[in-house]
DNA sequence: TGGACGATCCCCT
DNA sequence: GGGGATCGTCCAT
């Protein structure tokens, strides 16, 4: 791969979640399973930290949220609503309880496998069905991310993030976060303006 | 030990 | 636009 697509170094993740959230927009999430390579451009994210009543880490470290307290650059995957998984990028130093939820990606490579993984998806409108990856649980299903991927080191070979497209500030929108009660006033959601895979472009 | 609820999605009306 | 699916986690009893 060219220099443009270099894997993000550990140092990228060792910053507060608001900064990492913004910087993640335009980067490429990569999943490798054998010879298969799935790639999606990150277009929507949300930040969470330990002082934040909406965060899983708010009430301290537990078995469920343990990975959130690891050092930046790991994947925190949680199970919710009895049937869905969501993936977060852990940020900051060891012990801080910070993460960035990946809410949407634009499919770049491996779309046939993503469609197969999203088996419940019935209608497929050409050229690409945005329904494939325009939500946090949808993209996990498309990328085959579940319980077993919790704690994955993003500097490894299985799941990682590379540099991608530079998104200028003028193309970044900011809003309150989706689907939470406590801490709903915080505008800690970031997304790429006009991108067709953003989950709720009107918010 | 039990019950309420959740960083969601999909189908039905 | 609304509700059901479905279960791990947390907190109150």
């Amino acid at each position: 791969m060219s220099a443009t697509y270099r894997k993000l170094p550990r140092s990228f993740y060792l910053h507060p979640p608001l900064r990492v959230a913004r910087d993640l927009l335009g980067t490429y999430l990569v999943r490798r399973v054998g010879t298969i390579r799935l790639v999606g451009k990150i277009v929507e994210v949300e930040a969470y930290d330990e002082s934040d009543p909406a965060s899983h880490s708010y009430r301290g470290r537990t078995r469920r949220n343990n990975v959130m307290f690891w050092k930046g650059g790991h994947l925190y995957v949680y199970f919710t609503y009895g049937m869905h998984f969501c993936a977060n990028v852990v940020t900051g130093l060891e012990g801080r309880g910070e993460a960035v939820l990946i809410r949407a990606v634009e499919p770049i490579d491996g779309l046939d496998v993503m469609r197969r993984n999203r088996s419940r998806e019935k209608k497929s409108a050409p050229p690409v069905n945005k329904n494939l990856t325009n939500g946090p649980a949808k993209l996990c299903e498309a990328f085959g991310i579940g319980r077993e991927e919790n704690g994955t080191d993003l500097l490894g070979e299985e799941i990682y993030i590379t540099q991608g497209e530079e998104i200028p500030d003028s193309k970044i929108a900011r809003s309150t976060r989706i689907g939470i009660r406590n801490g709903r006033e915080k505008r800690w959601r970031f997304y790429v303006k006009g991108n067709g895979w953003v989950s709720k472009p009107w918010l």
Side-chain angles (χ1 to χ4, degrees):
Chain A
M1 289 212 283
S2 72
T4 308
Y5 297 101
R6 276 178 61 84
K7 191 181 296 181
L8 297 177
R10 181 75 63 191
S11 58
F12 176 92
Y13 302 101
L14 302 182
H15 296 282
L18 282 169
R19 169 173 169 178
V20 177
R22 186 259 176 264
D23 289 348
L24 277 172
L25 292 177
T27 62
Y28 291 111
L29 173 66
V30 182
R31 174 81 209 263
R32 289 173 62 181
V33 182
T35 59
I36 304 284
R37 201 175 64 119
L38 307 178
V39 182
K41 182 170 74 177
I42 296 176
V43 298
E44 179 182 353
V45 293
E46 287 177 357
Y48 292 85
D49 76 19
E50 206 175 351
S51 70
D52 165 21
S55 174
H56 291 172
S57 58
Y58 183 58
R59 293 174 206 288
R61 198 163 180 166
T62 69
R63 195 164 75 232
R64 180 204 198 194
N65 65 23
N66 186 36
V67 173
M68 265 188 98
F69 291 82
W70 293 8
K71 71 177 168 187
H74 289 87
L75 197 68
Y76 167 50
V77 181
Y78 68 87
F79 180 66
T80 191
Y81 291 103
M83 64 185 81
H84 296 302
F85 293 97
C86 295
N88 299 254
V89 173
V90 177
T91 76
L93 302 175
E94 161 84 37
R96 304 220 45 158
E98 304 168 342
V100 175
L101 171 68
I102 306 176
R103 283 199 53 91
V105 304
E106 174 182 337
I108 299 294
D109 198 10
L111 276 67
D112 49 343
V113 174
M114 293 186 198
R115 285 194 198 94
R116 207 177 313 144
N117 289 344
R118 297 265 296 130
S119 51
R120 279 180 298 186
E121 188 57 39
K122 293 183 174 66
K123 39 182 191 275
S124 58
V128 174
N129 191 340
K130 68 177 187 178
N131 219 11
L132 212 52
T133 56
N134 66 342
K138 295 179 188 178
L139 73 90
C140 278
E141 192 172 24
F143 277 68
I145 294 175
R147 210 180 307 276
E148 305 212 334
E149 284 67 38
N150 186 35
T152 302
D153 189 349
L154 295 174
L155 273 81
E157 294 303 314
E158 188 191 357
I159 304 174
Y160 52 90
I161 301 174
T162 71
Q163 294 178 337
E165 206 179 288
E166 285 289 329
I167 311 289
D169 286 342
S170 61
K171 288 195 65 180
I172 291 181
R174 186 169 174 168
S175 82
T176 57
R177 294 169 295 180
I178 307 296
I180 60 169
R181 296 171 55 88
N182 298 327
R184 67 181 181 282
E185 74 287 349
K186 291 184 167 61
R187 298 177 70 241
W188 286 8
R189 171 175 176 254
F190 301 84
Y191 63 90
V192 178
K193 276 183 201 170
N195 185 280
W197 281 264
V198 172
S199 66
K200 297 182 187 315
W202 58 90
L203 292 178

